Amino acid sequence: MKFFIDTANLNEIREAASLGILDGVTTNPSLIAKEGKPFKETILAICNVVDGPVSVEVTATDAGGMCQQARDFTTWHKNVVIKLPTTRDGVKACKCLSDDGIPTNLTLCFSANQALLVAKAGATYVSPFVGRLDDISHVGMDLVRDVVQIYKNYGYKTQVLAASLRHPLHVVEAALAGAHVSTIPFKVLDLMFRHPLTDRGLDQFLKDWEKVKS
Ligand code: E4P
């Protein structure tokens, strides 16, 4: 499974990249706004840190406007992936961009039908939002499982990018479900390393090493 980091914070991205296990980055307008720097400047800085797909979201709501923005974004850096909302216009724009070989990530996907539509439009990635479904008392991971299965049934090439992940168990469940990618907030990535038995075991090894090192 590929690991993307779900943030626009450069320090977090640098730290995650330094681990050597980072495959890409997802951003959205809210994540970029949180950093308080201009949109393009932030994206370019991210692209200079991570050599992998960087999702950049359009803000136009009509297909023509989305395609226009997308064509501009793709000139910014070779790793830009165009993030489009899973709406009628988003799917239309996805089809045009896919036909021209421009990579896309269809975001705000909340149903298997939406995922089917975006696969037919040739999306590179689809982003089912797990945590936001959990928030309204649906089991978000069921959507990831369904989409993985549906894509397998028909051999769709669209990669399932589990998004809106809120805790380490979400990452495990996404991996068990066969998601191609998990996009992980920095805090969750950090928690994935932690286990008290690892800390306790290492502590003991180091104490014992002190007894025998000379
Ligand atoms: C990533 O592509 C999404 O924008 C992100 O995972 C949304 O996460 P949230 O539901 O925690 O805002």
Side-chain angles (χ1 to χ4, degrees):
M1 185 168 66
K2 289 178 213 159
F3 279 6
F4 290 179
I5 189 150
D6 196 23
T7 181
N9 181 287
L10 276 177
N11 290 331
E12 291 181 349
I13 293 169
R14 277 194 204 99
E15 175 69 26
S18 76
L19 295 169
I21 55 165
L22 187 65
D23 300 298
V25 183
T26 52
T27 69
N28 63 39
S30 308
L31 290 172
I32 293 181
K34 232 165 74 180
E35 300 310 312
K37 297 240 171 74
F39 190 79
K40 184 172 179 178
E41 183 185 317
T42 308
I43 296 298
L44 290 179
I46 294 172
C47 289
N48 284 331
V49 176
V50 179
D51 188 19
V54 175
S55 288
V56 184
E57 190 157 342
V58 299
T59 48
T61 51
D62 64 296
M66 289 180 194
C67 288
Q68 206 177 346
Q69 267 190 317
R71 289 181 202 288
D72 177 33
F73 293 170
T74 52
T75 65
W76 294 0
H77 196 279
K78 67 178 172 48
N79 290 340
V80 165
V81 170
I82 304 302
K83 214 173 183 197
L84 301 161
T86 306
T87 57
R88 279 171 194 259
D89 283 271
V91 169
K92 268 194 214 169
C94 175
K95 176 69 177 137
C96 294
L97 296 171
S98 306
D99 286 348
D100 287 349
I102 296 174
T104 53
N105 173 2
L106 273 284
T107 189
L108 292 168
C109 173
F110 292 99
S111 78
N113 273 328
Q114 288 178 317
L116 251 178
L117 292 165
V118 311
K120 288 188 69 70
T124 314
Y125 304 98
V126 65
S127 291
F129 271 37
V130 175
R132 292 194 195 187
L133 280 169
D134 289 354
D135 288 346
I136 58 159
S137 303
H138 286 251
V139 181
M141 203 54 71
D142 283 350
L143 176 59
V144 174
R145 275 187 278 273
D146 287 351
V147 177
V148 167
Q149 184 59 56
I150 289 168
Y151 285 4
K152 265 193 196 140
N153 291 348
Y154 294 99
Y156 286 122
K157 297 278 185 301
T158 303
Q159 296 181 49
V160 180
L161 192 168
S164 187
L165 303 181
R166 303 275 172 78
H167 50 72
L169 199 51
H170 271 158
V171 182
V172 173
E173 287 173 340
L176 285 169
H180 304 85
V181 188
S182 273
T183 190
I184 308 170
F186 184 79
K187 191 186 75 182
V188 175
L189 182 63
D190 189 44
L191 287 171
M192 287 167 65
F193 282 92
R194 299 197 193 179
H195 200 289
L197 291 180
T198 304
D199 296 342
R200 202 188 305 165
L202 182 60
D203 195 45
Q204 189 60 53
F205 287 155
L206 293 178
K207 279 187 186 133
D208 290 339
W209 163 243
E210 286 300 322
K211 296 176 197 159
V212 294
K213 68 180 181 191
S214 56

